[in-house]
């Protein structure tokens, strides 16, 4: 299931003096605060980079900066106003609030809310808002416009003096200043009935329908979609009036039900058996068989009624396919999916790289931005900087790895979107493997076992160290952790000997600790039996962060005292070598198999530099 876009506005500020106002605005609009400024060294502005990323992601933007600068930064990205996110410029004293883009997609409302808080002036300029107090092409949440391509013409006719006839009811239309008459040439209709829009009509769909679904485990997705479409057709309603798909919580990970939700572009929400059982008096087709199996007398009908609330009703009672059931509930008003049941829950397992923002992938940054909760070792969460703003942190100490992962999964099981934050790559000596191990053990709660899991790769310490030192991984390599907390010492030594005999370049993780000092010495002495004493060894610490230190030493001079627990050690193969460039720097590299080819002109000791000592 594709991930939904994070709807929270991002409030950007450039100067420390603007920070209090940014925090005030964020609190008023439910947004998150980010500090941005000039990026040293390359003349680019950090605010420009960040604005372009946020705009491309479709995030609502509120920037405490000059509107002209904001326009110049975003101008090259402008393409289709129907898909552009809200962009609002705010003076640093809050006196002026200017919705620049996406006025009908929330920017005007944001501007009014911000201006009310700052006692400033909302410079709303869109014609419909100024004349009638409403944006006909961008109805509020809970309504969908069937034919947005005609909104501009209808608005132009209204501005030219034409009246409208209103059919159906919606509070936002009723409260507007649109001129209305019984014989108006224009029509504004609010209806879920499945029919095409008429000439000079804007047809609004109230999202007041919820499709309740039940399914056998592993039911075919096409069967579920076909049944859902049949139920909507039988009811004679537009799919655009569908607010959500709902089911029992043990079906939270049922692929067929998510396929239906994806097909109609709506979220899926789930309820406990106890909550669905409370709807039994209103069911049209209660079943003792279903009760015996899942603890409620009806899944499809019960979910449809639970989602549409006490004032809702069954528009279509339970219909069956071979392995799927469906029922359609209708509420008296649009349904906000966020207020019913709970979501399946999502766990992002992310590797943030060695720590530098520049080495964090855009995908990881997007996942962290979309998460409601962040779980991780405190240092890793601190390295995220402004991305942690507005999120709930769950900090853990080193040595609490299983507790950390279990907490993240159980938290996601409550319906939240959680990012499990690891350094480097989450799948390399990190937390990703524990996620699946806990599922395999079967000792998680049922909800935690049904969450959606999404992994994102990160730059590992191995890759970062290699890049800083040259190209030592140009040929076959392996990684070995020297920590015996999770791996028996005999296994570690066996792997070191095998890698030495196989002539692999080796990256050693967890080379030493305060109490453990012997494994690295064993590895060095073992490797010296199989490769030259001058084999280059890379020692890299604090990669991408303050205090970064990368050195290259010959294998025979590798000293345990020069290494700490934050150091990655890469030992070259028998073919690895060093070379100096004109600026005096020494680099390590491993030829891609050419060193032993006749006529290559490359052989150990011929025209190369020596490692730094």
């Amino acid at each position: 299931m594709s991930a939904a876009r994070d709807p929270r506005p991002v409030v950007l500020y450039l100067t420390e003096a603007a920070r209090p106002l940014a925090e005030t605005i964020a609190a008023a609009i439910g947004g998150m605060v980010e500090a941005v400024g000039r990026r040293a060294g390359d003349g680019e502005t950090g605010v420009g980079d960040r604005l372009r990323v946020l705009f491309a992601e479709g995030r609502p933007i509120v920037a405490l900066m000059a509107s002209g600068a904001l326009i110049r930064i975003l101008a090259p990205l402008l393409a289709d106003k129907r898909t552009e996110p809200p962009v609002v410029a705010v003076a640093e004293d809050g006196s002026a609030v200017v919705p620049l883009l996406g006025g009908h997609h929330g920017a005007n409302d944001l501007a009014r809310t911000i201006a009310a808080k700052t006692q400033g002036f909302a410079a709303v300029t869109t014609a419909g808002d100024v004349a009638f107090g409403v944006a006909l092409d961008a109805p509020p949440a809970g309504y969908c416009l069937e034919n947005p391509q005609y909104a501009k013409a209808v608005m132009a006719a209204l501005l030219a003096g034409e009246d409208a006839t209103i059919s159906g009811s919606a509070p936002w239309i009723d409260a507007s200043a649109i001129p209305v008459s019984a014989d108006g040439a224009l029509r504004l209709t609010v209806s879920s009935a499945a029919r095409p829009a008429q000439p000079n009509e804007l047809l609004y769909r109230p999202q007041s329908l919820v499709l309740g679904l039940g399914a056998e485990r592993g039911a075919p997705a096409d069967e579920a979609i076909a049944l859902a479409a049949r139920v909507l057709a039988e009811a004679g309603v537009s799919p655009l009036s569908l607010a959500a798909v709902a089911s029992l919580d043990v079906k939270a990970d049922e692929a067929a039900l998510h396929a239906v939700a994806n097909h109609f572009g709506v979220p899926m929400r789930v309820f406990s058996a106890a909550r669905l059982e409370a709807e039994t008096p209103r069911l049209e087709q209660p079943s003792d068989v279903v009760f015996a199996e899942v603890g409620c007398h009806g899944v499809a009908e019960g979910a449809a009624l639970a989602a549409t609330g006490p004032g809702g009703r069954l528009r279509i009672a339970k219909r069956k396919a071979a392995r799927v059931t469906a029922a359609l509930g209708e509420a008296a008003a649009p349904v906000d999916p966020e207020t019913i049941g709970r979501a399946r829950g999502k766990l992002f397992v992310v590797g943030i790289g060695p720590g530098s923002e520049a080495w964090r992938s855009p995908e990881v940054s997007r996942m962290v931005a979309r998460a409601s909760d962040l779980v991780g070792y405190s240092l890793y969460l601190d390295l995220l900087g402004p991305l942690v703003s507005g999120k709930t942190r769950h900090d853990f100490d080193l040595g609490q790895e299983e507790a950390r992962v279990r907490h993240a999964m159980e938290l996601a099981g409550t319906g939240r979107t959680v990012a499990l934050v690891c350094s480097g790559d989450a799948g390399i000596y990190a937390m990703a493997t524990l996620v699946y191990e806990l599922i395999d053990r079967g000792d998680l709660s049922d909800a935690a076992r049904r969450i959606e899991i999404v992994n994102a790769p990160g730059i590992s310490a191995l890759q970062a160290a290699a890049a800083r030192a040259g190209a030592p991984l140009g040929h076959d390599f392996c990684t070995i952790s020297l920590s015996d907390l999770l791996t028996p010492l005999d296994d570690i030594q066996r792997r070191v000997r095998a890698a030495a005999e196989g002539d692999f370049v080796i990256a050693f993780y967890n080379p030493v600790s305060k109490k453990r000092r012997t494994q690295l010495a064993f590895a060095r002495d073992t490797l010296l039996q199989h490769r030259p004493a001058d084999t280059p060894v890379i020692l890299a610490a604090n990669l991408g962060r303050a205090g970064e230190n990368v050195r290259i030493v010959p294998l025979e001079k590798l000293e345990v005292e020069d290494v700490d627990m934050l150091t990655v050690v890469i030992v070259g193969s028998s073919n690895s070598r060093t070379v100096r460039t004109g600026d005096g720097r020494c680099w390590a590299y491993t030829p891609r198999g050419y060193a032993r080819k006749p006529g290559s002109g490359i052989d150990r000791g011929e025209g190369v530099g020596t490692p730094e000592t």
Side-chain angles (χ1 to χ4, degrees):
M1 180 176 179
S2 61
R5 175 185 297 167
D6 189 337
R8 293 177 301 166
V10 179
V11 183
L12 302 176
Y13 68 94
L14 279 67
T15 66
E16 190 60 28
R19 178 177 179 176
L21 179 60
E23 292 175 342
T24 297
I25 291 173
I29 63 176
M32 53 185 293
V33 176
E34 286 191 21
V36 289
R38 182 165 295 279
R39 190 173 65 196
D42 60 4
E44 293 290 324
T45 56
V47 67
D49 291 343
R50 187 62 180 141
L51 278 167
R52 285 184 282 269
V53 169
L54 291 170
F55 189 85
E57 293 176 354
R59 295 289 297 277
I61 297 169
V62 177
L64 276 64
M65 60 186 295
S67 58
L70 191 52
I71 291 169
R72 284 192 293 273
I73 290 170
L74 296 180
L77 305 181
L78 303 185
D80 184 352
K81 74 173 187 177
R82 293 174 297 180
T83 61
E84 291 165 356
V87 177
V88 180
V90 182
E92 283 202 353
D93 62 359
S95 60
V97 186
V98 186
L100 296 175
L101 297 170
H104 291 175
H105 298 285
N108 291 344
D109 291 337
L110 281 174
R112 294 188 184 99
T113 301
I114 293 169
K117 190 67 176 180
T118 65
Q119 298 183 338
F121 175 72
V124 176
T125 59
T126 48
D129 290 80
V130 173
F132 309 123
V134 68
L136 291 179
D137 62 343
Y143 295 86
C144 180
L145 179 56
E146 174 90 20
N147 53 333
Q149 67 274 24
Y150 298 132
K152 184 176 181 180
V154 171
M155 181 65 78
L158 288 170
L159 291 170
E162 295 283 0
D163 290 346
T165 299
I166 308 297
S167 177
S169 178
W172 57 279
I173 293 179
D174 298 340
S176 73
I178 292 173
V180 177
S181 67
D183 58 351
L186 307 172
R187 171 171 288 189
L188 305 182
T189 301
V190 182
S191 173
S192 61
R195 66 167 180 82
Q198 303 299 312
N200 298 319
E201 177 188 40
L202 293 183
L203 183 52
Y204 295 96
R205 304 301 193 178
Q207 295 173 319
S208 55
L209 303 175
V210 175
L211 196 62
L213 294 175
E216 295 179 9
R217 181 59 65 184
D222 55 355
E223 178 183 313
I225 293 170
L227 178 62
R230 177 159 63 87
V231 167
L232 293 177
E234 181 181 349
V237 296
S238 167
L240 293 178
S241 282
L242 198 61
V245 164
S247 190
L248 182 63
D249 55 9
V250 297
K251 301 297 180 183
D253 58 348
E254 189 61 55
L257 305 191
H258 284 282
V260 174
N262 287 341
H263 179 78
F264 291 108
V266 297
M268 179 174 166
R269 309 292 289 188
V270 295
F271 297 87
S272 68
R275 176 65 187 88
L276 297 192
E277 179 60 11
E279 297 293 341
T280 298
R282 297 205 291 163
L283 301 181
E284 292 191 17
Q285 301 178 38
S287 170
D288 292 335
V289 174
V290 173
F291 178 79
E293 185 173 344
V294 298
C296 63
H297 279 84
V299 173
E301 291 186 353
L305 289 168
T308 52
R313 68 185 181 96
L314 281 179
R315 181 77 177 256
I316 298 291
K318 181 172 66 176
R319 300 292 187 263
K320 297 181 179 180
R323 301 178 66 186
V324 183
T325 60
L328 187 65
E330 183 173 29
V335 174
D336 179 1
E338 294 298 318
T339 65
I340 60 172
R342 67 166 174 83
R344 176 187 181 187
K346 187 187 298 288
L347 180 68
F348 294 131
V349 186
V350 300
I352 64 172
S356 168
E357 179 183 357
W359 284 354
R360 188 170 64 233
S361 78
E363 180 184 45
V364 166
S365 294
R366 286 194 295 270
M367 288 181 174
V368 171
R370 289 181 43 231
S372 58
D373 297 76
L374 306 178
V375 178
Y377 173 46
S378 295
L379 172 62
Y380 302 158
L381 299 186
D382 290 340
L383 291 173
L384 290 171
L387 280 180
V388 305
S389 177
K391 303 179 186 304
T392 303
R393 288 180 55 147
H394 304 260
D395 292 60
F396 285 78
D397 295 331
L398 285 176
Q400 297 180 297
E401 284 76 12
E402 182 170 328
R404 191 189 318 171
V405 176
R406 185 181 296 276
H407 181 77
M409 298 179 74
E410 294 290 353
L411 187 62
T414 67
R416 300 181 71 81
T417 300
V418 181
L420 178 60
V421 179
C422 310
S423 67
D425 182 287
I428 301 177
Y429 298 119
M431 301 297 99
T433 185
L434 264 174
V435 171
Y436 303 102
E437 184 177 341
L438 290 177
I439 293 174
D440 197 24
R441 286 188 205 167
D443 59 352
L444 293 166
S445 69
D446 185 77
R449 296 185 71 249
R450 299 185 187 281
I451 60 176
E452 180 181 0
I453 301 169
V454 184
N455 297 311
I459 294 176
S460 68
L462 164 69
Q463 293 169 290
R468 286 293 197 242
L473 308 180
H475 211 296
D476 297 339
F477 64 92
C478 67
T479 65
I480 300 174
S481 172
L482 295 182
S483 171
D484 57 4
L485 291 177
L486 299 175
T487 305
L489 180 59
D490 289 346
D491 287 347
I492 293 173
Q493 293 180 343
R494 177 166 52 85
R495 289 166 187 169
V496 170
R497 285 191 290 266
E501 293 173 2
D503 199 21
F504 286 96
V505 176
I506 309 171
F508 289 111
Y509 280 70
N510 308 308
V512 298
S513 70
K514 291 181 180 179
K515 297 180 179 180
R516 173 175 46 81
R517 315 293 294 177
T518 59
Q519 279 91 307
L520 182 61
F522 169 82
R524 176 199 59 206
D525 295 343
T526 300
L527 290 169
L528 282 170
Q529 299 173 19
H530 297 275
R531 57 197 67 180
D534 64 348
T535 297
V537 177
I538 298 159
L539 307 177
N542 295 312
L543 291 158
R545 304 193 294 270
E548 178 181 294
N549 184 23
V550 180
R551 294 187 299 136
I552 303 175
V553 301
L555 179 58
E556 65 178 351
K557 294 187 178 181
L558 172 60
E559 299 292 340
V560 174
E561 290 70 24
D562 293 337
V563 179
D564 62 24
M565 62 188 300
L566 297 178
T567 304
V568 174
V569 179
I570 300 179
V571 181
S573 71
S574 63
N575 285 307
S576 298
R577 52 209 300 115
T578 58
V579 63
R580 288 189 182 276
T581 48
D583 57 5
R585 286 198 62 180
C586 181
W587 303 88
Y589 75 102
T590 302
R592 292 195 60 195
Y594 300 112
R596 295 177 177 172
K597 288 186 177 181
S600 67
I602 299 178
D603 195 8
R604 287 195 64 86
E606 183 179 315
V608 298
T610 56
E612 296 176 347
T613 59

